[in-house]
Amino acid sequence: VQVNVDIYANLRQYSPTGSGRFELTLVSDATVKSVFLALGIPEAVKTVALVNGRHATELTRLKAGDNITLFPPMEGG
Amino acid sequence: MDFFEILSYQKLSHNPESNDKIQTAKGGLMEKNTAIHGWCGQVLRVNLTDGRILTELLDSDVAKSYIGGRGLGIYYLSEEVDPACDPLSPANKVIMATGPLTGTAAPTGARYMVTTKSPLTGAISCSNSGGNFPAELKKSGHDAIILEGRSPLPVYLWINGEQAELRSADHLWGLTTHETDDALRRETVDTAKTAVIGPAGEKMVRIAAIINDRDRAAGRSGVGAALGAKNLKGVVVKGDQEVSLFDPEGFKVTNTKYRNNFKEATRDNPPPLRLHGTAITVVGTQSHGVFPTRNFQQGQFEGWESIYGETLSKKFLVRAKPCFSCPIACGRVTKIPEGPYRGEGEGPEYETIYALGSDCGVDDLAALTKANYECNELGIDTISMGSTIACAMELYEKGYLPESDVGMPLNWGDGQALVQLVSQTGKRQGFGDKLAEGSLRLATDYGHPELAMVAKGQDFAGYEPRGEQGMGLAYATSPIGASHMRGDPAYFELLGVPTTIDPLSYKDKPPIVAKWQDVFAIIDAAGLCVFFSVRYLTDLTLDARPVGIMELLNTATGANYALEELEMAGERICNAERLFLTRAGFSRKDDSLPSRMTHEPMPAGPAKGHVCHLEEMLGPYYKCRGWTEDGIPTPEKLRELGLG
C-alpha cells in the first residue's frame, strides 16, 4: 500500500527524502509499526502517530491513501 | 502625612524560637523566622491608599497547606477580599506570590502567580509568569506581595532587599512596558527586575496584562487592569539573598537526579520546545483538527505552515531564551528584519499564533509577530486580544458590526487591521475602546453574545473543545474561565504526554481532568513551570503523581510532605478557588461553553460531526470532585480539606 507521511521537528532526520512530506510504499497488512521500521525510527524515540488525524497505535492497520502524521511528544502552552 | 513618606511597623513573629532581628522598610525591627526554609517566611503588605508598607510573617501552617504561589494567592484572596466586590475598586486586592521552589536551583523554579478578582470575568484571576522577576522577588526575602487599596497618585513599588518604598510614577504614566523597564532600572539598580503595566493597564483595558522582564506576561483575566485601577505602574525588585534550603545536600542530589533525567532524555533528541518554541504545537493541533480557525468556525487552518514553529525558526528566530533556572529554553527572541512590520522582541508563543493568527485567519507571520510585540509593549494578553479581534471579524463578516464603527474593513486574514486594532485597544482609541472590554462585552453590545468564544467570560486558548473533549471540560470548570493551564488536557489528548488517549472520547475524561487540575495547582503553587514538571517531576502516568515535586519540596523546605498530603494540597487549592467562586455567585450555570461548541457539529477534519459533550461530563466531574449536582463543594469535602 502507498501512504502519505508528514513528519515534524527532530523526527525529520528519519525522512528518506529529507523533506517533511513524502510518500511511502509498504507491504499489504502494514501497520503504523511498519512505518516506524521503514523509516528506521528507534523504539526508544517516542513518537506520536496519527492516521488521518486520529490517534493511532503501533498496531493500527493502514490502507492505501492514508495520511500518517508523526511528531515527537511536545508540550502545550 | 506625606503620602510618599513610607511607613512601616513591626509585627512580632509567631515563632518564639527565633530571635534573629531584621530591619523592615523604614528601620523598624521584627523577628525573622530563621527556622523556615524554601519559603522566606515574609509577606510584604502594601496599602496604596495611605502608603503604609508592612512586613508580615507567613504562617507556617498556611504555607504548608497552600504551598505557595497560586495557593497563597487564593488563601489571601479568600481571607481578605469580598467575593462580591467590584474588581476595579479599592476593595479588591492583587496578590503576587512566589512558591517555595521559586528562586532555587530547581529546574524551572522561575514562576510566580498574580491573583485577584478578575476585571474581565468577575471570577478569580490567577495569572502565571516566569522570566527572572519572580526569582528576584523571592531573593528579596519575600514570598508574596499583597497590594491593597488605591493610590491617589500614580506610583511604583521599589523593593531593594528587605527595604520597600512607594515612589511617584507620574513620569512613567503613558510609557510602554519596555520604556518603563528602562526607566525603572535607570532610576533604581540596572540589574533590578520589573513587573509593570503598559498603557493598557493604566486605561483599565479588561484584557490588560502585567509584563515582567520586558516580555514575559502574567497575561490572563485582566490582571493589568487591576494594577491600573490601583494607580500602580509596577514593581521593581532587587534581591540580595539566596533562598535558604532545609537540606542543601539532599536538594542538590534530588535536583541533579531530575536534571540528569532531562539531559538523558534529550541528549540525542533536543526538545521540540527548545528548537522551535511552543509554536511547534501547531503541528499537534492542526493534525488533530483542533487548531481554532476564524473564531472557532473551523479546526484546521489552510495557512498553518506559514505561521508554525519551524517557519518561525527559519524566518525570525534570533535565539532561544530560558527563564531563570530552566534547562528547556522555550522563549523566543525574534526579529523581523525588514518590511512594514519591522521590529524585534519576544514571541510569538503557540497561543499567540492561534489567537492573532489562525483564529483571525491571518497567515502573515510578520503581521501577527508584530501584533505580539505591540501587545507586549502596551501590556495586553495576546490570547484575549486575538480572540476578541476574531470575534469582531465574525461580527463584521456576518453584517452585525458596521464598518463605520470599526473605521476600516475587518475581513478575515487582514494582518494590517490586526496590528492597528491592537494599538487602538492598548490606548482605548477609536474602535479599540470597544475591543478593550473583551469579546463577550463586544459581542453582547452587537446583539450576538453567542459569538464570543469564552467560558466564564474569558476567551478560549488554542484548542477546539469539539475535537478535544477533555479540554472542553477543563475550559468550562476552570476557576479563571477558559484556560489551557488548568489541567491542560492537550498533554494527554494531543501531544503524547504521558500517553495519548482519544481526544474525542468523553466518558473517561472527568476523573483525569480533575486529577490534572489538582496537579497543575501543585505545580503553580510550588513555583515551577508546567513544561518541565509534567514530563519530569511526575510519575508519567495519567494519575500524574507529583513524586519529583514532593522530593524537591521536602529537601527545600523540610515540610516532609507525604505524596497524598501534597496531592491533597492541590485539591485544597482547587476547592478554595471553587469556594470563592461559589461565594461570588458562580455555579453550574457558569460552567458552560458557547452553543457553537455544544450544538454545532465540527464542519470538517478529524473531529467532523462532533460537538463537545459538556453536559454529559459535568455530572461525573462534580461527583469525583465531591461537589453537588450544582457544582458546589459539599460540607464534607470542605471539612476533609480543612476548608470547612
Side-chain angles (χ1 to χ4, degrees), chain B residues 71-391:
Chain B
L72 281 188
I74 190 58
Y75 170 76
Y76 285 113
L77 196 74
S78 301
E79 288 287 309
E80 301 186 8
V81 173
D82 176 3
C85 79
D86 173 355
L88 295 173
S89 74
N92 196 11
K93 300 189 183 188
V94 177
I95 300 123
M96 296 179 165
T98 65
L101 296 176
T102 307
T104 71
T108 73
R111 313 293 296 190
Y112 87 130
M113 188 66 85
V114 182
T115 305
T116 188
K117 179 167 163 135
S118 165
L120 178 67
T121 67
I124 293 167
S125 163
C126 50
S127 196
N128 194 279
S129 184
N132 290 293
F133 170 83
E136 199 74 13
L137 175 59
K138 186 75 176 292
K139 289 180 178 188
S140 76
H142 301 100
D143 294 301
I145 311 169
I146 301 173
L147 302 159
E148 53 192 34
R150 173 187 285 155
S151 171
L153 303 162
V155 291
Y156 71 89
L157 177 64
W158 164 220
I159 303 172
N160 189 9
E162 290 181 352
Q163 308 286 318
E165 63 180 293
L166 290 169
R167 289 181 171 181
S168 171
D170 259 345
H171 60 301
L172 305 172
W173 219 245
L175 297 187
T176 66
T177 59
H178 288 188
E179 290 165 344
T180 306
D181 177 75
D182 288 339
L184 286 179
R185 289 187 296 106
R186 212 165 36 236
E187 60 194 70
T188 58
V189 175
D190 186 50
T191 53
K193 309 300 179 196
T194 66
V196 304
I197 56 171
E202 294 170 11
K203 293 182 180 300
M204 289 177 265
V205 170
R206 289 184 192 271
I207 55 175
I210 298 172
I211 305 287
N212 61 280
D213 301 293
R214 301 177 74 87
D215 289 292
R216 305 304 305 180
R220 306 231 63 195
S221 318
V223 290
L227 228 55
K230 297 195 173 305
N231 258 331
L232 184 68
K233 182 69 173 170
V235 178
V236 55
V237 61
K238 180 63 192 163
D240 56 6
Q241 52 189 283
E242 291 303 310
V243 177
S244 169
L245 299 172
F246 170 73
D247 173 8
E249 192 52 37
F251 182 82
K252 190 176 170 186
V253 169
T254 307
N255 190 24
T256 303
K257 176 174 77 173
Y258 287 107
R259 281 183 180 267
N260 283 346
N261 288 350
F262 171 79
K263 276 186 199 159
E264 183 61 27
T266 58
R267 192 181 54 213
D268 298 327
N269 287 289
L273 280 181
R274 183 186 300 156
L275 293 174
H276 304 298
T278 56
I280 193 65
T281 306
V282 173
V283 170
T285 51
Q286 170 75 11
S287 54
H288 279 92
V290 296
F291 188 36
T293 300
R294 296 183 186 83
N295 203 32
F296 284 76
Q297 293 186 91
Q298 298 103 28
Q300 288 182 312
F301 182 45
E302 66 282 1
W304 72 276
E305 283 177 295
S306 302
I307 58 174
Y308 90 120
E310 295 186 70
T311 306
L312 178 67
S313 297
K314 278 182 208 145
K315 291 183 77 171
F316 300 141
L317 181 65
V318 176
R319 64 186 168 90
K321 183 179 175 185
C323 295
F324 177 86
S325 198
C326 174
I328 301 174
C330 72
R332 303 288 96 177
V333 176
T334 53
K335 182 175 184 177
I336 306 168
E338 57 191 6
Y341 304 121
R342 192 173 59 233
E344 54 193 302
E346 289 186 34
E349 303 272 352
Y350 168 72
E351 301 298 336
T352 305
I353 286 175
Y354 127 72
L356 295 167
S358 61
D359 208 35
C360 293
V362 171
D363 63 3
D364 181 344
L365 185 59
L368 81 86
T369 302
K370 181 69 173 179
N372 187 160
Y373 294 163
E374 287 283 308
C375 283
N376 288 359
E377 293 190 22
L378 295 165
I380 305 173
D381 170 25
T382 57
I383 299 178
S384 286
M385 184 74 265
S387 177
T388 303
I389 293 173
C391 175

Side-chain angles (χ1 to χ4, degrees), chain A residues 6-14 21 44-46 48 50 52-55 69-77, chain B residues 269-270 272-273 278 281 283 287-288 304-305 308 310 350-351 463 484 491 494-496 500 502 504 531 535 606:
Chain A
D6 286 310
I7 192 163
Y8 294 101
N10 41 339
L11 291 181
R12 192 165 295 158
Q13 63 185 294
Y14 302 107
R21 185 166 294 162
V45 175
K46 289 188 176 173
V48 178
L50 307 184
N52 302 323
R54 297 297 306 272
H55 170 57
T69 308
L70 304 175
F71 55 84
M74 51 181 70
E75 275 73 20
Chain B
N269 287 289
L273 280 181
T278 56
T281 306
V283 170
S287 54
H288 279 92
W304 72 276
E305 283 177 295
Y308 90 120
E310 295 186 70
Y350 168 72
E351 301 298 336
Y463 308 88
H484 58 303
Y491 273 105
L494 307 180
L495 304 175
T500 306
D502 186 356
L504 295 172
F531 291 165
R535 186 88 77 89

Side-chain angles (χ1 to χ4, degrees), chain B residues 441-462:
Chain B
R441 288 176 174 86
L442 175 79
T444 304
D445 269 3
Y446 286 96
H448 290 276
E450 76 281 3
L451 297 186
M453 294 300 117
V454 297
K456 294 188 184 68
Q458 174 156 278
D459 300 270
F460 288 178

